[in-house]
Amino acid sequence: MQNIMMINDHKAIIQYDPELDLFRGEFVGLNGGADFYGDSIAALENEGKQSLQTFLDVCQEQGIDPYKSFSGKFMTRLPSELHEQVTTIATSHGMSLNQWITDTLANAVNDEGMA
């Protein structure tokens, strides 16, 4: 299930909140929280636009960059056996571990329709 909604060129993750019996949207990639609720796609779009605009307005008023900055680096821990296995696979493809992981993640993003 694709649970990502585009609102004004911004991605929001959509999930169902059973306690409220509403769908909840939360924008990703922002430097703070901006969420919204609705009982339909139209309501989510409307509330999302309002929530996003309010967030951007507050950021502008306070001189805050509204977007997260991504360095392109992240650290992850994995079991030693898996580390050995992925290193072996990368080497067998003539790639560094970093390049193999980058390609594998890019393929996963593409498979999710995010590319």
Side-chain angles (χ1 to χ4, degrees):
M1 177 179 135
Q2 179 77 308
N3 63 341
I4 299 170
M5 178 181 263
M6 292 296 293
I7 298 176
N8 294 346
D9 295 324
H10 291 79
K11 293 178 185 86
I13 305 296
I14 308 300
Q15 296 178 326
Y16 178 69
D17 185 333
E19 290 182 19
L20 298 176
D21 193 29
L22 293 171
F23 293 100
R24 178 181 182 268
E26 182 175 13
F27 287 101
V28 294
L30 298 180
N31 218 2
D35 63 348
F36 52 98
Y37 291 85
D39 60 2
S40 67
I41 292 172
L44 281 170
E45 288 176 342
N46 184 49
E47 293 297 320
K49 287 177 184 178
Q50 290 180 27
S51 175
L52 178 63
Q53 191 58 57
T54 298
F55 177 82
L56 295 173
D57 289 347
V58 169
C59 286
Q60 184 175 13
E61 289 169 10
Q62 296 182 5
I64 298 170
D65 184 357
Y67 303 103
K68 282 184 183 178
S69 174
F70 295 93
S71 69
K73 299 177 194 177
F74 73 95
M75 183 178 211
T76 187
R77 296 188 190 334
L78 31 129
S80 59
E81 183 177 312
L82 180 58
H83 188 178
E84 178 184 7
Q85 291 168 336
V86 296
T87 299
T88 300
I89 293 169
T91 302
S92 75
H93 288 279
M95 304 169 92
S96 69
L97 179 58
N98 186 74
Q99 186 59 55
W100 185 83
I101 290 171
T102 299
D103 288 357
T104 301
L105 292 174
N107 288 334
V109 166
N110 189 49
D111 289 348
E112 288 289 324
M114 294 281 299

